[in-house]
Amino acid sequence: MIANEPLNRTGTLTQEKILQDYRLACESRSASLLGRREVMGGRAKFGIFGDGKELAQLAAAYAFQPGDFRSGYYRDQTFVAALGELTWNEFFAQLYAHTDLEADPNSAGRQMNGHYATRWLDDNGRWRNQTELYNSVGDIAPTAGQIPRSIGLAYASRLYRQNPHLHLLTTFSRNGNEIIFGTIGDSSTSQGMFWETMNAAGVLQVPLLMSVWDDGYGISVPVEYQTTKASISKALAGLQRTDTEKGIEILTVRGWDYPALIETYQKAARICREEHVPVLVHVQEVTQPQGHSTSGSHERYKSPERLEWERQHDCNRQFRQWILENGYASDDDLDAIEREASKTAKTARQEAWSAYLDSLKGDYDETMSLLKQAAETAREGRFINQIREQLRTTYTPIRRDAVAAVKRALRYLRTDESEAKQGLLAWLNRTSAENEERYSSHLYSQSPDSPLKVTPVPARYVEDSPLIDGYQLMQRYFDSLFSRDPRVVALGEDVGFIGDVNQGFAGLQEKYGDLRITDTGIRETTIVGQGIGLAMRGLKPIVEIQYFDYIYYALATLTDDLATLHYRTKGGQKAPVIIRTRGHRLEGIWHSGSPMSAMINSLRGLHILVPRNMTQATGFYNTLIKGDDPALLVECLNGYRLKERLPENLDEFCLPLGVPDVLREGTDITIVTYGSMCRIVLEAADQLTQFDIQAEVIDVQTLLPFDLSHSIVESVKKTNRVLFADEDFPGGGSAYMMQQVVEGQNAYRYLDSAPRTLTAKAHRPAYGSDGDYFSKPSVEDVFDAVYEIMNESNPTRFPKLYGEKRG
């Protein structure tokens, strides 16, 4: 599949290498120009290209070694092509959204152009040898969104170098010699993610080589409005290392100066690789010949003087002039290279377009044949013929056109039992399954290591199993985990020296060292980024967000990067990081701790686990450590001081995901809940028995996945009534559970009363014990909600408690 040869890394600038670079720069520029034409001509939806950045990216690629990582953005086409990881056929296939992995191995058509990813997982979802690859992390479009993970990728090199227990993991690192090439546009450095990452890199001293391509604008907004002193290198000068203080190295270079670029990147890579010092390379005077994207023209906001300057300082033009001045080639030689480069790009474009059309042709031809057969035999044949004719005359019909035509035809065949109808139905069923695979597969791991495939192991107790506080149980669990798996690391605010704010890691940093259990600054976004990068490189990180509400600081990174990684690479990459946090029943507006609906709807691609106590939490941790999906696990903050029996098999106990637990059997109503609400509901259920109401209480245990075997509906079949209770806002987690059970499990068929939800109030909880009581569901609230349902079904047996409600 790889047509571009990686750059010859001899360390010297030979005539052969210089002309090879010029050829690739010209090919990349031609591909950019043709790509824009394809969008404007209607063959592609959108285009964003790397023209103007060719020389800087060639120089960066020249310093890149097998095992290194690129954590870049969507203008790095020359960089990736120079590494031999992108052919121009693949470039155009992605532009056309070709869903064949052979055509677009980066994302199988799932991402717009310019988003590149090395497939570091094999066909079974297992790790390949990363040290043999030129690794590119799957790019994302949100500005600066690619930056937080870069700190974790670089931090992994530090751990692999300094922790001797990891030296056996030779398929992930060669003694921590790998460096991470971050890339970003100048304007995106205004994002907090960038500043947080550069600060963390200076603190951690990790081999992060951050390139800033500075073309002077953020779409239409000039750098003077973006950055203090109109220069990111000047703005970051306070982070510059000195002889006595650690920090980052800052280098500047012009984007059209080929030999200076080569020299600068060789120096930057040497500092990163040998010294493990982060380096910022500010590439200035970069141009953007076609403007920001195909959405508009840069001539709208650039002055004639600026446009002329860009023409004169175009890096390819300057490169040509330098070659001529130094006698490496003649005008005729370079003209020939440019013609050949243009031809190469045009050939790739045509081959990619033809391959894309061929991928659609089979379904289209079959559709036309089936519609013709149906039109000839059906009573409503004239209408089906019209549908066929409309499809025939559609310009470049795609899959949706064929599916829509078949579905419209089947409307006219609804009373028909003909062979033609059966053929259309068979076609629709087949293509629906194929399109599910093309567009909706690989949200989660499909490998043998999926946490959904981990064999459950129940907790085992003996007669004298001790009762201990929840936090002590967590201490014992993490002690056992760290002793048996050197890949596991934990990091977060206050995790190390004091053992986390609730003492789950107390004493463990002293035992296992600060490389394994690490304190961080107050920087949630890059805490998560550290975890993502570590997980991408074969480690098993547990990263802590101290309180659940603080997760909003990192939500963009979680939802845009981590949650989509496996999906957007169609199973080519994974990052099985565990996000540990604590919530529920906290008091106060900013420590209320139950924003489940925000997580459920933002983090599809992660598992969301809500254990009711610390024992259940340890069972889930064991399952996740064995698995290869990322997850968010929310521990119950008010459970650390509650007594629990200590299982004797704490290190083996594995809980299955998506399996609810019936905590109390009953016959009158089913109450579905999770987390700290379990104790509230169980207490209410005990009180309800005094009034002859037997409630069945179910702990869902995990929200993603939710009740995979549809067991909750079996309870509803028995009780014919259901209440969903949680501490989220109205319309949040409880509404999600109702939708899953009533709609997804068809529980509506068995209900004698309307299903209900019981939630917190629409505001965040007020402070203090009374504030908590009147803001979140209490035992009395659960009792009253159940009693009202029973009153509605049998008012004689269950008369109203409080009389008529007043408006």
Side-chain angles (χ1 to χ4, degrees):
M1 291 299 298
I2 302 302
N4 303 312
E5 291 296 325
L7 289 174
N8 180 15
R9 291 169 176 78
T10 63
T12 59
L13 286 178
T14 64
Q15 181 184 34
E16 179 185 8
K17 173 184 160 31
I18 291 166
L19 296 184
Q20 179 189 26
D21 281 0
Y22 188 68
R23 182 182 302 277
L24 187 53
C26 291
E27 288 178 0
S28 185
R29 179 64 60 87
S30 295
S32 294
L33 297 173
L34 289 172
R36 183 178 180 88
R37 292 178 194 171
E38 293 300 274
V39 176
M40 296 308 179
R43 283 184 171 183
K45 300 282 287 185
F46 178 77
I48 195 161
F49 307 105
D51 47 306
K53 300 165 179 62
E54 291 90 350
L55 286 199
Q57 293 182 13
L58 285 167
Y62 190 51
F64 204 98
Q65 295 184 7
D68 288 347
F69 282 78
R70 183 192 68 89
S71 182
Y73 83 143
Y74 40 72
R75 298 190 191 277
D76 285 353
Q77 70 198 47
T78 311
F79 197 160
V80 183
L83 297 175
E85 294 296 319
L86 175 69
T87 70
W88 301 123
N89 288 55
E90 293 166 356
F91 172 89
F92 286 106
Q94 191 175 58
L95 190 69
Y96 303 138
H98 194 157
T99 57
D100 190 334
L101 268 175
E102 288 294 314
D104 173 22
N106 300 284
S107 68
R110 293 183 176 186
Q111 293 220 90
M112 68 176 68
N113 82 296
H115 294 72
Y116 308 115
T118 306
R119 304 197 69 77
W120 63 53
L121 302 180
D122 63 21
D123 291 341
N124 293 317
R126 295 273 174 72
W127 296 106
R128 296 170 62 196
N129 188 337
Q130 289 183 342
T131 66
E132 298 175 349
L133 303 174
Y134 298 104
N135 299 287
S136 281
V137 183
D139 297 334
I140 62 176
T143 53
Q146 76 277 15
I147 299 302
R149 67 184 181 225
S150 67
I151 194 70
L153 292 163
Y155 185 61
S157 287
R158 177 182 168 185
L159 295 187
Y160 278 119
R161 177 168 291 185
Q162 297 185 12
N163 184 351
H165 298 292
L166 299 178
H167 290 175
L168 295 176
L169 299 177
T170 56
T171 60
F172 292 102
S173 179
R174 292 190 176 100
N175 197 37
N177 289 329
E178 301 78 23
I179 62 179
I180 282 62
F181 288 72
T183 70
I184 189 170
D186 178 66
S187 297
S188 295
T189 64
S190 298
Q191 294 278 13
M193 293 177 179
F194 174 81
W195 289 84
E196 188 174 314
T197 297
M198 296 312 298
N199 177 61
V203 170
L204 294 172
Q205 292 293 281
V206 292
L208 174 61
L209 198 169
M210 184 66 67
S211 295
V212 178
W213 318 131
D214 186 354
D215 58 29
Y217 289 85
I219 305 184
S220 68
V221 180
V223 68
E224 291 80 8
Y225 294 170
Q226 303 274 2
T227 309
T228 300
K229 300 183 180 181
S231 168
I232 191 61
S233 53
K234 291 180 180 178
L236 286 175
L239 300 184
Q240 172 69 52
R241 66 173 179 163
T242 68
D243 292 340
T244 58
E245 295 176 317
K246 294 180 180 179
I248 69 174
E249 185 65 36
I250 300 176
L251 305 174
T252 62
V253 64
R254 293 177 297 192
W256 48 266
D257 190 340
Y258 177 73
L261 284 162
I262 295 289
E263 181 181 357
T264 299
Y265 273 100
Q266 292 297 305
K267 177 180 180 180
R270 184 170 58 253
I271 292 170
C272 275
R273 205 178 303 279
E274 296 176 4
E275 301 179 44
H276 270 203
V277 169
V279 179
L280 175 83
V281 177
H282 184 190
V283 183
Q284 301 169 313
E285 298 188 19
V286 174
T287 66
Q288 199 156 272
Q290 297 187 107
H292 174 75
S293 71
T294 55
S295 293
S297 171
H298 61 153
E299 294 175 351
R300 292 181 300 165
Y301 52 85
K302 290 180 182 176
S303 68
E305 294 76 18
R306 173 68 188 191
L307 291 170
E308 178 58 27
W309 181 91
E310 291 196 7
R311 280 189 287 272
Q312 295 299 324
H313 289 80
D314 181 282
C315 65
N316 285 13
R317 177 173 180 162
Q318 291 284 329
F319 193 15
R320 178 187 173 109
Q321 188 63 32
W322 180 84
I323 291 172
L324 292 172
E325 289 174 354
N326 287 275
Y328 292 114
S330 67
D331 274 314
D332 289 343
D333 294 332
L334 298 183
D335 288 344
I337 288 175
E338 290 171 16
R339 288 193 299 271
E340 292 166 5
S342 177
K343 183 178 179 180
T344 296
K346 288 178 180 178
T347 299
R349 174 189 62 174
Q350 189 53 48
E351 289 177 351
W353 179 246
S354 296
Y356 171 66
L357 293 181
D358 286 346
S359 73
L360 306 175
K361 191 173 186 300
D363 283 346
Y364 172 80
D365 289 346
E366 187 177 355
T367 302
M368 293 295 289
S369 176
L370 290 169
L371 289 174
K372 181 180 179 182
Q373 181 183 356
E376 291 172 347
T377 59
R379 289 190 300 273
E380 305 285 0
R382 67 186 185 279
F383 296 110
I384 297 175
N385 203 47
Q386 290 173 1
I387 294 169
R388 183 178 185 274
E389 182 63 15
Q390 183 179 359
L391 179 61
R392 188 189 69 80
T393 57
T394 299
Y395 178 72
T396 315
I398 56 179
R399 288 191 174 92
R400 71 176 185 187
D401 298 311
V403 170
V406 169
K407 287 187 173 182
R408 289 170 59 204
L410 285 169
R411 297 171 190 171
Y412 293 103
L413 296 170
R414 62 192 183 279
T415 61
D416 202 320
E417 295 301 328
S418 65
E419 182 179 340
K421 177 183 179 180
Q422 297 308 311
L424 287 169
L425 286 171
W427 181 94
L428 186 62
N429 289 333
R430 175 182 62 79
T431 58
S432 293
E434 291 171 352
N435 288 328
E436 179 73 17
E437 169 66 21
R438 288 186 182 107
Y439 302 108
S440 300
S441 65
H442 293 86
L443 182 59
Y444 295 95
S445 170
Q446 298 179 198
S447 81
D449 299 321
S450 165
L452 298 179
K453 298 177 183 177
V454 172
T455 302
V457 177
R460 188 168 60 246
Y461 298 94
V462 295
E463 186 174 343
D464 58 348
S465 292
L467 277 174
I468 60 175
D469 287 340
Y471 79 91
Q472 295 174 317
L473 190 148
M474 296 304 296
Q475 285 176 7
R476 296 197 187 190
Y477 169 72
F478 285 128
D479 190 5
S480 170
L481 176 62
F482 276 74
S483 69
R484 66 181 189 267
D485 193 338
R487 300 172 303 164
V488 179
V489 296
L491 57 95
E493 299 160 16
D494 300 306
V495 166
F497 184 73
I498 69 169
D500 89 39
V501 293
N502 293 101
Q503 298 295 282
F505 284 100
L508 299 186
Q509 186 185 72
E510 184 178 0
K511 184 173 183 179
Y512 295 102
D514 60 7
L515 287 177
R516 301 279 314 273
I517 302 171
T518 308
D519 286 313
T520 69
I522 300 175
R523 48 175 181 82
E524 282 77 11
T525 295
T526 46
I527 288 172
V528 168
Q530 267 183 267
I532 294 172
L534 292 172
M536 286 176 170
R537 298 191 60 188
L539 299 177
K540 289 287 186 177
I542 301 172
V543 301
E544 181 168 306
I545 301 296
Q546 193 166 91
Y547 295 112
F548 197 5
D549 303 77
Y550 299 169
I551 204 164
Y552 287 115
Y553 286 99
L555 188 56
T557 297
L558 288 168
T559 185
D560 291 332
D561 196 1
L562 181 60
T564 67
L565 177 67
H566 197 257
Y567 169 80
R568 73 177 185 267
T569 60
K570 200 179 182 184
Q573 298 184 357
K574 62 184 176 183
V577 58
I578 300 173
I579 314 298
R580 179 195 185 211
T581 189
R582 52 190 64 84
H584 312 303
R585 304 317 287 193
L586 278 163
E587 296 179 4
I589 293 171
W590 289 285
H591 294 80
S592 52
S594 296
M596 289 301 177
S597 56
M599 300 303 106
I600 294 165
N601 293 303
S602 300
L603 301 183
R604 301 299 173 105
L606 273 70
H607 298 298
I608 298 181
L609 287 60
V610 282
R612 64 183 178 269
N613 57 34
M614 301 308 146
T615 303
Q616 302 300 95
T618 62
F620 284 134
Y621 280 123
N622 279 333
T623 299
L624 294 174
I625 290 294
K626 290 184 177 182
D628 64 350
D629 269 330
L632 169 68
L633 192 148
V634 186
E635 297 172 11
C636 296
L637 181 59
N638 61 359
Y640 294 110
R641 297 288 174 178
L642 298 178
K643 299 292 185 182
E644 299 183 35
R645 293 180 69 197
L646 177 67
E648 66 169 1
N649 62 335
L650 204 57
D651 57 346
E652 300 173 353
F653 167 39
C654 288
L655 274 176
L657 309 188
V659 179
D661 193 5
V662 178
L663 304 183
R664 188 184 192 282
E665 294 189 354
T667 56
D668 293 318
I669 189 169
T670 300
I671 308 177
V672 183
T673 190
Y674 59 83
S676 290
M677 277 295 292
C678 290
R679 289 191 291 274
I680 302 291
V681 170
L682 284 171
E683 185 175 344
D686 286 342
Q687 294 181 13
L688 285 163
T689 61
Q690 302 170 29
F691 296 85
D692 201 23
I693 299 173
Q694 302 300 322
E696 183 145 300
V697 179
I698 298 178
D699 174 12
V700 302
Q701 302 206 92
T702 67
L703 292 169
L704 292 176
F706 184 92
D707 191 9
L708 293 173
S709 62
H710 287 192
S711 63
I712 296 175
V713 71
E714 298 303 317
S715 174
V716 177
K717 286 180 183 179
K718 175 176 60 176
T719 65
N720 308 119
R721 300 173 189 88
V722 64
L723 172 70
F724 301 91
D726 78 341
E727 300 175 10
D728 200 0
F729 294 132
S734 59
Y736 162 77
M737 293 190 294
M738 179 188 285
Q739 181 270 330
Q740 291 286 302
V741 175
V742 176
E743 179 184 333
Q745 300 182 15
N746 294 322
Y748 68 90
R749 299 176 179 177
Y750 311 104
L751 292 175
D752 293 337
S753 300
R756 282 193 55 181
T757 64
L758 177 63
T759 71
K761 296 295 179 65
H763 54 77
R764 294 192 181 193
Y767 184 62
S769 297
D770 276 346
D772 175 74
Y773 182 86
F774 292 108
S775 298
K776 287 193 170 185
S778 64
V779 172
E780 289 72 33
D781 292 330
V782 176
F783 184 100
D784 291 350
V786 170
Y787 193 90
E788 286 176 12
I789 294 172
M790 302 305 296
N791 163 260
E792 181 185 34
S793 65
N794 192 337
T796 301
R797 184 179 173 192
F798 303 105
K800 289 185 180 294
L801 292 175
Y802 308 123
E804 295 296 329
K805 288 184 178 180
R806 298 183 179 182

